[in-house]
Amino acid sequence: MADQQNPNSLDSTKVGGESSKSGSSSSYSKGAKTYHHYKNPPDATIPDSSTLRDQWRFAVRQYSKWYSHAWGTAILAGASFFALGWFIKGSNPLPSRHHKEEDEGQNGPSRQPNQDS
């Protein structure tokens, strides 16, 4: 019989809290992965609080780094597309920054309604 404490044991597979023999004919146990296939098997016991605190701090640092990288990439991409639009159009590509006086100056005087009455 395999030792239950040894995660490298090949004789049993632990699935959902239940132990099943690897030689059983159950289709459920055939598809289950054993712990020895993983690079970092799960802990047998709950780690102490200082280890959990260190892991949490590491996770927060990683998340913060990825979050800031994502925002930096988004801002850089936005500025790049704005510059590309300005280069292609030759002026400000944002229609919200478009002034009506500039259109009248480029297209000649605007047509006034007939005031012959």
Side-chain angles (χ1 to χ4, degrees):
M1 177 148 222
D3 183 17
Q4 293 296 336
Q5 298 296 342
N6 185 2
N8 294 330
S9 173
L10 298 176
D11 291 342
S12 68
T13 303
K14 192 157 185 145
V15 179
E18 298 176 5
S19 179
S20 64
K21 297 288 182 192
S22 62
S24 70
S25 61
S26 171
S27 63
Y28 186 73
S29 64
K30 287 182 183 177
K33 292 185 178 183
T34 57
Y35 288 151
H36 70 278
H37 289 286
Y38 296 111
K39 183 176 179 181
N40 296 319
D43 294 331
T45 59
I46 297 175
D48 61 338
S49 60
S50 63
T51 302
L52 291 173
R53 193 175 307 117
D54 290 341
Q55 289 175 346
W56 182 258
R57 287 179 182 154
F58 175 76
V60 168
R61 278 195 310 270
Q62 287 295 104
Y63 177 79
S64 299
K65 183 168 62 171
W66 295 338
Y67 188 82
S68 64
H69 283 197
W71 270 106
T73 303
I75 291 169
L76 183 63
S80 299
F81 280 114
F82 180 79
L84 183 64
W86 193 297
F87 178 74
I88 291 171
K89 185 178 178 186
S91 64
N92 192 345
L94 297 177
S96 62
R97 297 290 197 189
H98 190 69
H99 297 291
K100 292 182 181 180
E101 298 87 30
E102 292 175 3
D103 268 350
E104 291 175 1
Q106 292 175 355
N107 297 334
S110 60
R111 298 180 70 193
Q112 298 292 329
N114 198 358
Q115 298 179 0
D116 291 335
S117 41

